[in-house]
């Protein structure tokens, strides 16, 4: 892998430097990789509509291509480029928990790359509750695909130094926004099926979700593997025979 010089940008989440955000936003628009803080863990971001940029995420993280990514947006209006259907149950849930540490799996829009979704017909989306993450998305004017900012199978990063240790000279920019507040990945639920299914436990509890969706079910494999990213759950697997030909070849 070609080494690049990683730029380190420090930003105060309570007093965001617009000029620094512009640098990071332009990097996203230019197809580069930017690590940034969310309330859960640090994410490794790329333009979700740029296939080449998304491929870099997998290469840099040494992440298998059958492991789908979460797409981060800053407002509900941005869903039009991400999903083909925004069902009523998803509207209800998003009203309660977005912005926040909840990821919702819905039917994908054709604009979203197969690399983002690992060849599945669904896409995982959330609105993060972190001012730097939201400003980065707004400044880039792109939905940002972002798994945790670490080498695959390593512990998810909760501060910029963790990211630097894992990904220095592999990515273009690391935004240092301090420690994350939640410290664990988002909870993931699938509304593309009925009843709604919890795929991964995380920043939103089962009890919280049951207050809104009493009949929600829990994928038992998710509980057994709750420390893994959404794509490592059996529910989210696309086997190699199911993958698009160009992904198989990589």
């Amino acid at each position: 892998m070609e080494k690049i010089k990683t730029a380190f940008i420090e930003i105060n989440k309570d007093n965001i430097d617009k000029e620094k955000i512009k640098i990071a936003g332009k990097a996203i628009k230019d197809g580069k990789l930017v690590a940034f803080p969310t309330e859960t863990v640090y994410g490794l971001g790329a333009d979700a509509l740029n296939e080449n940029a998304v491929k870099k995420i997998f290469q840099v993280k040494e992440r298998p291509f059958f492991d789908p990514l979460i797409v981060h947006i800053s407002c509900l209006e941005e869903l039009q480029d991400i999903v083909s259907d925004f069902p009523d149950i998803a509207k209800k849930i998003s009203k309660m928990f977005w912005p926040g540490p909840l990821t919702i799996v819905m039917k994908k829009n054709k604009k979203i790359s197969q690399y983002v979704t690992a060849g599945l017909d669904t896409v995982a989306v959330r609105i993060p509750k972190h001012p730097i993450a939201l400003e980065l998305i707004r400044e880039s004017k792109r939905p940002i695909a972002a798994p945790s900012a670490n080498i695959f199978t390593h512990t998810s990063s909760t501060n910029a130094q963790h990211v630097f240790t894992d990904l220095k000279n592999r990515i273009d920019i690391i935004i240092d926004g301090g420690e994350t507040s939640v410290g664990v990945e988002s909870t993931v639920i699938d509304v593309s099926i009925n009843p709604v299914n919890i795929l991964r436990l995380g920043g939103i509890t089962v009890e919280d979700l049951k207050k809104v969706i009493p009949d929600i079910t829990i994928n038992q494999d998710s509980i057994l593997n709750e420390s893994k990213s959404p794509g490592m759950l059996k529910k989210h697997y696309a086997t190699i025979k199911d993958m698009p030909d160009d992904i198989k070849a990589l």
Side-chain angles (χ1 to χ4, degrees), residues 108-180:
K108 71 180 284 291
N109 186 304
K110 62 183 180 180
K111 292 182 181 180
I112 288 293
S113 166
Q114 60 191 347
Y115 292 96
V116 172
T117 65
L120 300 172
D121 65 354
T122 54
V123 60
V125 189
R126 86 177 181 102
I127 300 179
K129 191 177 184 179
H130 194 290
I132 293 175
L134 292 171
E135 281 298 317
L136 178 63
I137 298 165
R138 293 177 190 131
E139 178 60 37
S140 68
K141 296 180 173 60
R142 303 287 194 277
I144 296 181
S148 56
N150 53 275
I151 298 296
F152 185 69
T153 74
H154 288 197
T155 302
S156 297
S157 301
T158 57
N159 62 54
Q161 186 57 53
H162 293 164
V163 179
F164 186 74
T165 298
D166 251 16
L167 300 178
K168 62 182 176 182
N169 300 325
R170 290 179 176 229
I171 65 177
D172 300 279
I173 294 174
I174 297 173
I175 297 177
D176 182 356
E179 288 281 342
T180 62

Side-chain angles (χ1 to χ4, degrees), residues 73-83 86 90-91 94-95 98 104 106 127:
I73 59 176
S74 66
C75 62
L76 292 179
E77 287 73 21
E78 293 169 5
L79 278 174
Q80 62 184 348
D81 288 330
I82 312 300
V83 303
F86 188 34
K91 293 175 184 175
S94 64
K95 186 176 181 179
W98 279 359
I104 304 177
M106 295 174 274
I127 300 179

